[in-house]
Amino acid sequence: MLWTVMPLETVLDGNEGHQPVYSELPWKNGGTLIVEKLDLDSARVVRLISTNATDYLESSIQPGAIIQYKAENQA
Amino acid sequence: MLGSDALTLPPQRRRPAHTRRVRKTTEPSPQEQPKTNTQEKEKEQDILQNIQQLGQTNIPQQVPENGIHTITIIGQIEGHITLPPQNKTTKYEHVIPQLVAIEQNPRIQGLLVILNTVGGDVEAGLAIAEMIDTLTKPSVTLVLGGGHSIGVPIAVSSDYSFITETATMTIHPIRLSGLVIGVPQTYEYLDKMQDRVIKFVTAHSRISKDKFRQAMFCTDQLARDIGTVMVGKDAVDDGLIDEVGGLGQAIKKLQELIDARAEQGVVH
């Protein structure tokens, strides 16, 4: 149930065309990061699943943050 | 403590001067002395570096020095349905664990919530508001730009609320989207949902139930909707928000609340 000053058609505009592909990445402390793949070497963070509350304070994995994949020999 | 004592008072310093001289002369070459000194220094630096490196991984990066943590509630408050990507959203499933971390972390002493939101999901908004309300640490909210619809309960949920002079808050009825069945129960359901919000807002601010309802169903203020727009001082006059103010006042108030809490002897 949405309660907003924005017209509903503006909020839901483009809902049909938006079909992102989500994938899971293992994260520290046994957590999982749900990411939306952008291209071959980057992904956008959608959400974190973790039981450690402090993990959610980390800025690098806030929703919307872009993660760059690195080859293992580069890292 | 032990380590720093050892550093400031090395054992050889305590020895009488003459014995030190004797030891120096018995050492194979006087040139070696400065060399060992630099080696020791290097070792010390290595240790320091290690400590710094360890420290970087141990201390949560986001915890600021002064113990005040900030959460921004922006755009749409996203609830059970993921909104299309053109919306800027605040995801409640991320804000809620952050509030848990703030409550638990002994280094965080206070929370500043900055709102610039157009509203959003009723359940998600109320969830965030209830979490901020039940936080034992001092909290201050600042309405910046707009705190509309479901932003209103979040704005009043803290210990003390501010609104900037130009910020607006819109109070309007909740609507149903999608298929609506034209039966009396539909109205009753909506009324119940509205009551949840009204109850929370009136319990956490000085506004009365009647006044809030009156503002919600006002017909002569909005062009496309019924409801009321409150600009800065209006929200304070109506008792919804505690004070007109900006960032400086909000931080100052939060610091006052933190100090008052420390005086009461609460550890963290």
Side-chain angles (χ1 to χ4, degrees):
Chain A
M1 181 180 273
L2 285 178
W3 188 29
T4 170
V5 285
M6 277 175 82
L8 208 61
E9 57 268 29
T10 313
V11 176
L12 299 177
D13 185 36
N15 211 9
E16 286 92 46
H18 182 231
Q19 283 169 333
V21 181
Y22 297 138
S23 52
E24 292 183 4
L25 286 182
W27 211 62
K28 66 178 184 188
N29 301 326
T32 306
L33 213 54
I34 310 282
V35 294
E36 182 186 340
K37 207 173 169 189
L38 294 177
D39 48 54
L40 272 177
D41 58 354
S42 64
R44 185 188 288 124
V45 176
V46 176
R47 61 180 292 220
L48 167 73
I49 302 169
S50 169
T51 50
N52 185 359
T54 317
D55 290 352
Y56 290 86
L57 297 180
E58 203 152 307
S59 57
S60 59
I61 51 98
Q62 292 302 309
I66 309 286
I67 286 182
Q68 294 284 342
Y69 294 127
K70 272 184 188 170
E72 241 169 55
N73 53 6
Q74 271 182 305
Chain B
M1 277 311 276
L2 256 178
S4 66
D5 274 351
L7 273 175
T8 49
L9 289 167
Q12 60 261 47
R13 282 269 166 116
R14 287 188 199 161
R15 280 187 201 129
H18 66 275
T19 47
R20 245 167 59 204
R21 241 177 250 142
V22 170
R23 274 204 69 182
K24 260 190 183 172
T25 47
T26 51
E27 271 166 18
S29 69
Q31 285 104 335
E32 240 171 72
Q33 192 64 28
K35 203 180 169 189
T36 51
N37 265 348
T38 50
Q39 273 177 344
E40 267 175 35
K41 261 187 190 168
E42 271 172 24
K43 208 175 171 187
E44 214 171 89
Q45 269 179 341
D46 270 356
I47 293 167
L48 272 175
Q49 217 161 19
N50 275 341
I51 291 169
Q52 277 173 350
Q53 280 168 356
L54 279 173
Q56 275 176 344
T57 50
N58 284 343
I59 303 162
Q61 302 259 310
Q62 289 315 101
V63 181
E65 300 270 313
N66 58 8
I68 292 176
H69 204 93
T70 311
I71 287 183
T72 48
I73 309 282
I74 52 103
Q76 288 278 344
I77 295 162
E78 197 179 88
H80 306 298
I81 299 162
T82 306
L83 295 174
Q86 85 274 12
N87 292 283
K88 279 201 175 184
T89 62
T90 301
K91 289 177 191 294
Y92 84 124
E93 73 265 34
H94 251 259
V95 175
I96 284 169
Q98 280 177 337
L99 288 165
V100 175
I102 289 164
E103 175 70 29
Q104 281 186 320
N105 198 320
R107 292 185 59 192
I108 302 172
Q109 293 170 311
L111 169 69
L112 175 68
V113 183
I114 297 173
L115 288 117
N116 196 351
T117 175
V118 290
D121 191 277
V122 172
E123 318 255 276
L126 280 178
I128 294 171
E130 292 275 12
M131 290 289 278
I132 296 170
D133 174 38
T134 50
L135 191 77
T136 59
K137 289 175 184 177
S139 56
V140 167
T141 42
L142 170 62
V143 181
L144 207 65
H148 310 287
S149 320
I150 199 64
V152 176
I154 299 175
V156 301
S157 64
S158 64
D159 297 330
Y160 203 85
S161 53
F162 283 94
I163 184 166
T164 56
E165 263 178 58
T166 54
T168 56
M169 294 179 92
T170 310
I171 300 158
H172 64 117
I174 297 175
R175 279 176 298 259
L176 277 182
S177 55
L179 185 71
V180 177
I181 310 166
V183 289
Q185 286 87 333
T186 305
Y187 175 74
E188 261 165 47
Y189 176 73
L190 258 180
D191 211 36
K192 224 175 208 174
M193 294 300 109
Q194 245 145 226
D195 264 347
R196 287 164 81 188
V197 178
I198 294 169
K199 245 185 211 164
F200 186 90
V201 172
T202 51
H204 294 86
S205 66
R206 289 174 287 118
I207 201 165
S208 69
K209 229 177 196 175
D210 290 338
K211 203 165 191 184
F212 193 77
R213 260 188 185 277
Q214 207 185 326
M216 203 179 227
F217 299 111
C218 182
T219 49
D220 55 1
Q221 288 229 357
L222 301 178
R224 287 187 60 193
D225 203 348
I226 55 171
T228 308
V229 182
M230 293 178 180
V231 183
K233 202 171 163 289
D234 300 344
V236 179
D237 291 343
D238 284 342
L240 197 62
I241 297 291
D242 293 317
E243 204 181 316
V244 175
L247 179 63
Q249 286 96 325
I251 298 273
K252 200 177 156 219
K253 183 70 193 177
L254 186 54
Q255 201 58 55
E256 276 172 28
L257 291 171
I258 292 169
D259 292 344
R261 194 164 180 263
E263 271 171 32
Q264 283 170 8
V266 184
V267 183
H268 59 255

